[in-house]
Amino acid sequence: MSFYVAQFLTGLAEASSLFLVACGLSIIFGVTRIVNFAHGAFYMLGAYIAYTLAERFSGAIGFWGSLLTAAIIVAMLGALVETVLLRRIYHAPELFQLLATFGLTLMVEDLAVIIWGPEDLVGPRAPGFKGAVMILGQAVPSYDLLLIVLGPLVFGLLWMLFHKTRFGVLVRAATQDREMVAALGVNQRWLFTGVFALGIFLAALGGALQISRDAVNHTMDLRIIVETFVVVVIGGLGSVGGAFLAALIVAEFNAFGILIFPGISMILMFIIMALVLIVRPYGLLGRLEAPTRAVIAAAIVWAPLSSAGRIAVAAIVVAVALMPFGVGDYWLTVGSEILIFVLFAASLQFLMSTGGLVSFGHAAFFGLGAYGAALAVKDLGLPLLPALACGTTLGCAGAVVIGWFCVRLSGVYFAMLTLAFAQIVYSVAFQWTDVTGGDNGMLGVWPDAWAASPHTFFWLALAVALGGVVLLRMIVFSPFGYRLRAVRDSALRAEATGINRMTTQWAALIIAGTFAGLAGALFAFLKGSVFPDSLGVSTSVDGLVMVLLGGIGTISGSVLGAVVYKALSIFLVSQTDYSKLVLGAVIVGLVVVFPGGLGGITARFSRLRPVLGPAPPARPESLG
Amino acid sequence: MSASPNLLAVEGLRKSYGGVHAVQGVSFSLEAGEILALIGPNGAGKSTCFNMLNGQIKPDGGTIHLKGEAIAGLPPRLICRRGVGRTFQITATFASMSVRENVQTALSTFAGQDRRLFGLATRQHRHEADGLLDHVGLLAQADRPCAELAYGDLKRLELAVALSGKPALLLMDEPTAGMAPRERIALMRFTASMARAQGIGVLFTEHDMDIVFEHADRVMVLNRGEVIAVGTPETVRRDPRVRTTYLGEGLVYARPVEGGAP
Ligand SMILES: Nc1ncnc2c1ncn2[C@@H]1O[C@H](COP(=O)(O)OP(=O)(O)O)[C@@H](O)[C@H]1O
Ligand SMILES: [Mg+2]
């Protein structure tokens, strides 16, 4: 019994930490509608800076002063980022802000290594909270008890801030209705900067408080950002109370889940999120409130390629196909990898632009394809082509199951549910060691002799990628493609015209998942191995970045984006130790300079946006 | 039940939003080829009625029978497939497509071809789509991106899309709002002649009383969610309650616009 009490208290302490970070993210989203991917990076900076201050200057400002100062410094950094970077892109489609903050995250990760080194840093213990308190015969760290008090305290302070100050009232008003605040003549810029700084302050404080509990390192940002997203989505985007409740639920489930289901402890949180979203699609305390901006502003008039375009594409394809006669094996392998990611990006792009469905978990299908192929080779002893078919089928099957759940939601919530499922699949691959080899992956997945040489494999990859992209483009212009666009443009009109939104989007997800699975299967053979990473968040994010870089408007954009991004990252990794820093800076720079992506559709965006305006939310009230 | 049921029979339809009784106990019927105008001040519950009829929102109570079959509570796509087309007060169209593609998409849905993954969608039903666009006066703009259309033209496009399914019942929520007077008359004349020729039942809302009294076979007046009068345009025009609540000067727009629940 007493053991469970101690476990419960540990959960509460964890909940407080999670709450600090999550409510910051939630507040920022509520007002600015920015899904701040860099939230984890600011959290990490808070921890690093607090560590340095506590180590070097605790004489002057004391331990607690160090934590607070660190949070304030990072909040100022946040305000700087908001004014210099984000302010330029508030009017770009929502995802570009995600992309920009992702770029920032990459930069911060490398900067942290440059400044603080790659090793784990262990901060000093908090003065006065070094020991443990005996509760029912169990030792509970007194620092945990402090955190347990701190969470509700911060919650209370935020409540006061939001209900008793003019700033807080404006924040709440803006969360409910941004246009109204603008109409009231409130200086939106000032409000946004203030809110962003506040959110970042909370994240950094959360990070700073960790230094005497846990080691500080340069990977803590990704771990926390995924958990934070989960908490915010469970609680309801923009709801501080929801974040508090969700942090409690997630932390307690984690604390007890480890005892009850050790095998699935990693995915428990995602299972909770999936369940919550299916029952309450807008989170526990979130309200049905469509984003004010379309996730993707797609107002590009599409047409099949003209004959000149076809000739140009054919020329490029021929040139690529001739590459094996001119370049060495290393470059051909690099080329094959790029081609595989071209197909992966094109499949995600199909989902995003034609379907208007932004998936944060597209790697699930890629990884399922890779594992499917690897299992077919290792367990069934199948040769290359049947194994590719197995991988593709597994990707397709995954999309059937995952899609069935996900199409019940839309917008950011859809994105988060896809992320949850991808994490579930990732964790299965990671933990089901008997079948997947777990962390050690599956090795020895080599192609048959006929395709083993780099140049034949390159041609195979080219044929598959080209075939996939052509098929996807054909689907875009097919009656089904129009039906999918119809649902994206106006779910209201589509349903009133007899179109079933859910089955349409489900089918789109299955198509995209199948092609991603094919790409993944091929990837397994390229590498000769499969690791859980192929299913991980970073693979999903890579896909998103490629699509966004290329411009969401066209399939060809994703091809370009994949080539540029993959080539750049492979090149950078081989050239510099700080590839993330450079890549991040490139991404941030591109977003600022070309908010429409590399596809060169910026002009068209700016021309059509005023006409199109924000997509009206699909809610009953708007029927008028 | 009689041998041939009404095209549309509505009994005791109700919907409340919290304390706001948007629609309370509305009953009426509509015959094939008949044109029924639903009028009433803003906030009377007209759009709410439309939204329940096409399944956009679920009624709290009451029944809706289309050709004798109960349809209340079905999702919009199924109600549409049973022969109900509609236009929205705030137009809803496929903004990324051209005008013609909007209609083609609707046509291919009704023809059950929208599952095809191959073949160019823009080659399908082109002729039929142009015919519909010609009827509503949009043929000259068929190739324009829908996002560039003027508001009145969007209303016409919606009508063409609604007609693609050869509906038995057409619901038009303020079909002429945002149009010039000449256009209004032309659009309603077209709608009326088509309805009579093809036996389509039309239920429409309209603030322009000249249009209502010229085209409607019957008029139904809604106030605060209740039907206060039904009848021929003449009887309704003379009804004293209608005169005070609606036709009386200055009262037409007395209530706050949509969403401003009292
Ligand atoms: N989604 C909703 N939530 C709350 N109240 C609503 C909603 N939709 C309509 N109402 C209210 O119901 C009443 C009827 O609205 P509506 O049917 O749009 O009127 P009309 O179309 O006749 O102008 C109004 O008071 C309106 O404020
Ligand atoms: Mg209305």
Side-chain angles (χ1 to χ4, degrees):
Chain A
M1 178 60 210
S2 59
F3 172 71
Y4 292 109
V5 172
Q7 200 67 13
F8 180 71
L9 292 176
T10 310
L12 284 185
E14 195 58 45
S16 284
S17 316
L18 261 180
F19 166 69
L20 281 184
V21 190
C23 75
L25 187 71
S26 203
I27 295 168
I28 292 176
F29 177 85
V31 175
T32 66
R33 286 294 184 276
I34 283 197
V35 180
N36 177 27
F37 200 98
H39 211 66
F42 287 113
Y43 163 90
M44 178 171 78
L45 277 181
Y48 269 120
I49 295 178
Y51 168 85
T52 301
L53 292 177
E55 286 289 306
R56 301 257 179 91
F57 304 101
S58 60
I61 50 177
F63 176 82
W64 303 108
S66 305
L67 302 197
L68 205 60
T69 312
I72 292 171
I73 293 175
V74 178
M76 290 187 327
L77 274 177
L80 188 71
V81 164
E82 197 276 341
T83 37
V84 174
L85 173 64
L86 299 180
R87 202 171 265 188
R88 292 172 197 276
I89 54 172
Y90 277 126
H91 294 287
E94 217 156 62
L95 275 170
F96 284 82
Q97 297 139 21
L98 191 74
L99 188 60
T101 50
F102 173 70
L104 273 181
T105 306
L106 287 179
M107 292 170 72
V108 170
E109 278 181 10
D110 261 3
L111 285 173
V113 175
I114 293 171
I115 300 172
W116 287 281
E119 303 84 22
D120 282 8
L121 302 178
V122 182
R125 312 299 296 276
F129 293 89
K130 290 184 178 152
V133 178
M134 296 305 280
I135 294 178
L136 299 175
Q138 296 277 333
V140 176
S142 54
Y143 194 72
D144 277 9
L145 295 179
L146 175 73
L147 287 179
I148 292 173
V149 177
L150 206 60
L153 187 71
V154 170
F155 186 27
L157 287 174
L158 283 175
W159 192 89
M160 301 256 285
L161 178 70
F162 287 154
H163 288 84
K164 302 281 182 225
T165 68
R166 181 176 148 72
F167 172 77
V169 171
L170 286 177
V171 168
R172 279 193 301 141
T175 305
Q176 267 149 30
D177 187 348
R178 286 170 56 188
E179 273 66 33
M180 192 190 78
V181 175
L184 284 177
V186 171
N187 188 336
Q188 254 192 355
R189 296 188 148 199
W190 171 83
L191 186 68
F192 279 29
T193 311
V195 163
F196 199 78
L198 173 66
I200 297 303
F201 173 82
L202 292 167
L205 188 63
L209 282 166
Q210 293 303 309
I211 63 170
S212 41
R213 278 185 101 205
D214 229 338
V216 182
N217 66 47
H218 61 102
T219 57
M220 62 196 286
D221 59 335
L222 264 191
R223 191 163 32 93
I224 193 82
I225 193 66
V226 173
E227 276 186 29
T228 310
F229 275 152
V230 170
V231 167
V232 168
V233 165
I234 291 179
L237 283 167
S239 162
V240 173
F244 190 76
L245 193 62
L248 270 181
I249 293 173
V250 166
E252 288 302 343
F253 264 97
N254 273 345
F256 287 98
I258 285 206
L259 308 175
I260 303 167
F261 322 99
I264 60 161
S265 58
M266 279 173 66
I267 53 173
L268 207 54
M269 158 169 98
F270 297 102
I271 293 177
I272 300 170
M273 172 160 116
L275 289 179
V276 168
L277 286 185
I278 288 160
V279 181
R280 288 193 59 96
Y282 299 93
L284 291 176
L285 300 187
R287 274 162 306 124
L288 190 160
E289 175 204 9
T292 46
R293 247 168 318 166
V295 178
I296 285 178
I300 307 115
V301 178
W302 291 345
L305 280 180
S306 62
S307 40
R310 274 165 212 247
I311 292 170
V313 169
I316 294 172
V317 170
V318 169
V320 174
L322 292 175
M323 269 175 57
F325 300 108
V327 302
D329 286 354
Y330 169 75
W331 291 110
L332 285 181
T333 311
V334 168
S336 301
E337 185 166 344
I338 292 176
L339 285 168
I340 288 167
F341 277 91
V342 162
L343 181 57
F344 177 58
S347 70
L348 178 60
Q349 200 274 347
F350 169 77
L351 196 62
M352 283 171 63
S353 70
T354 316
L357 295 168
V358 177
S359 166
F360 277 18
H362 207 52
F365 314 121
F366 184 82
L368 280 173
Y371 274 100
L375 290 169
V377 170
K378 305 303 287 183
D379 292 357
L380 306 176
L382 292 179
L384 173 68
L385 294 180
L388 284 181
C390 284
T392 311
T393 310
L394 196 61
C396 172
V400 169
V401 176
I402 294 175
W404 188 86
F405 289 99
C406 292
V407 294
R408 267 135 243 283
L409 307 180
S410 57
V412 180
Y413 290 93
F414 173 89
M416 288 299 144
L417 195 57
T418 52
L419 171 69
F421 275 108
Q423 284 303 105
I424 292 173
V425 179
Y426 170 85
S427 308
V428 169
F430 196 87
Q431 293 186 333
W432 200 11
T433 322
D434 294 344
V435 174
T436 62
D439 205 9
N440 296 325
M442 299 176 72
L443 306 175
V445 189
W446 297 113
D448 307 357
W450 64 266
S453 78
H455 61 270
T456 39
F457 196 85
F458 179 82
W459 280 321
L460 177 67
L462 177 63
V464 168
L466 184 68
V469 171
V470 168
L471 282 178
L472 283 167
R473 258 190 81 90
M474 283 168 75
I475 295 174
V476 169
F477 294 107
S478 73
F480 175 78
Y482 272 76
R483 165 171 146 182
L484 184 58
R485 269 166 75 190
V487 170
R488 178 203 67 189
D489 284 358
S490 171
L492 192 64
R493 166 52 65 200
E495 288 268 350
T497 312
I499 296 174
N500 187 336
R501 178 190 71 82
M502 279 196 206
T503 52
T504 307
Q505 297 188 330
W506 189 24
L509 204 86
I510 294 171
I511 292 169
T514 305
F515 282 103
L518 175 59
L522 208 53
F523 187 69
F525 283 105
L526 174 76
K527 295 287 174 188
S529 57
V530 187
F531 296 97
D533 273 356
S534 63
L535 291 152
V537 183
S538 56
T539 307
S540 293
V541 172
D542 278 355
L544 275 174
V545 174
M546 290 175 205
V547 171
L548 293 176
L549 271 186
I552 39 182
T554 56
I555 296 268
S556 46
S558 67
V559 173
L560 191 63
V563 171
V564 170
Y565 181 76
K566 205 66 205 173
L568 195 64
S569 50
I570 293 174
F571 172 76
L572 288 175
V573 167
S574 69
Q575 293 297 311
T576 152
D577 288 340
Y578 305 116
S579 57
K580 285 193 215 161
L581 181 60
V582 182
L583 199 59
V586 169
I587 291 174
V588 170
L590 283 176
V591 169
V592 171
V593 182
F594 302 112
L598 290 179
I601 50 167
T602 322
R604 288 200 243 175
F605 260 118
S606 53
R607 187 165 59 84
L608 286 171
R609 281 204 124 260
V611 185
L612 185 69
R619 52 179 164 172
E621 297 93 291
S622 67
L623 307 183
Chain B
M1 286 248 94
S2 62
S4 69
N6 304 100
L7 172 61
L8 178 70
V10 176
E11 274 294 323
L13 204 55
R14 281 190 293 111
K15 179 77 196 179
S16 309
Y17 293 103
V20 183
H21 302 295
V23 173
Q24 26 190 334
V26 166
S27 305
F28 64 94
S29 65
L30 182 65
E31 303 303 327
E34 187 187 21
I35 300 180
L36 175 61
L38 181 58
I39 65 171
N42 272 325
K46 303 181 298 294
S47 295
T48 307
C49 280
F50 273 66
N51 292 339
M52 287 191 280
L53 288 176
N54 97 306
Q56 215 75 55
I57 51 182
K58 281 201 199 324
D60 292 342
T63 59
I64 306 171
H65 285 87
L66 184 74
K67 294 179 253 177
E69 287 177 51
I71 57 164
L74 290 181
R77 68 193 150 81
L78 295 185
I79 292 183
C80 166
R81 292 198 181 262
R82 287 172 188 227
V84 180
R86 80 164 287 181
T87 67
F88 291 94
Q89 181 172 346
I90 299 167
T91 56
T93 51
F94 307 134
S96 74
M97 300 180 195
S98 75
V99 171
R100 184 185 290 113
E101 287 166 357
N102 266 268
V103 183
Q104 285 174 302
T105 303
L107 285 168
S108 91
T109 302
F110 289 116
Q113 294 163 344
D114 59 343
R115 290 191 189 82
R116 290 193 190 164
L117 293 177
F118 301 102
L120 280 181
T122 47
R123 297 232 177 102
Q124 310 213 334
H125 306 286
R126 209 184 155 93
H127 193 67
E128 235 177 310
D130 283 355
L132 280 165
L133 289 173
D134 194 17
H135 281 315
V136 299
L138 273 181
L139 189 54
Q141 315 204 49
D143 289 310
R144 288 185 68 187
C146 164
E148 287 177 4
L149 287 193
Y151 194 68
D153 291 339
L154 282 175
K155 291 257 165 193
R156 284 197 268 224
L157 175 56
E158 274 208 307
L159 179 57
V161 168
L163 289 176
S164 331
K166 300 201 168 51
L169 172 66
L170 186 60
L171 309 172
M172 299 203 292
D173 201 352
E174 307 205 3
T176 69
M179 287 187 180
R182 283 250 290 303
E183 293 181 304
R184 295 180 174 206
I185 293 166
L187 186 83
M188 281 316 291
R189 287 215 172 121
F190 160 69
T191 309
S193 67
M194 176 210 57
R196 299 220 162 87
Q198 302 181 18
I200 300 176
V202 176
L203 178 67
F204 76 107
T205 67
E206 178 59 66
H207 284 298
D208 183 335
M209 287 308 124
D210 292 339
I211 289 188
V212 169
F213 291 127
E214 182 186 339
H215 294 290
D217 297 315
R218 279 191 305 143
V219 179
M220 178 160 72
V221 187
L222 207 59
N223 189 40
R224 294 177 187 252
E226 285 178 88
V227 178
I228 58 169
V230 203
T232 61
E234 271 317 297
T235 46
V236 166
R237 207 203 296 255
R238 277 195 236 102
D239 189 306
R241 281 181 73 193
V242 178
R243 295 183 78 89
T244 50
T245 58
Y246 188 50
L247 300 175
E249 301 72 43
L251 280 172
V252 175
Y253 296 104
R255 300 216 25 215
V257 276
E258 325 290 342

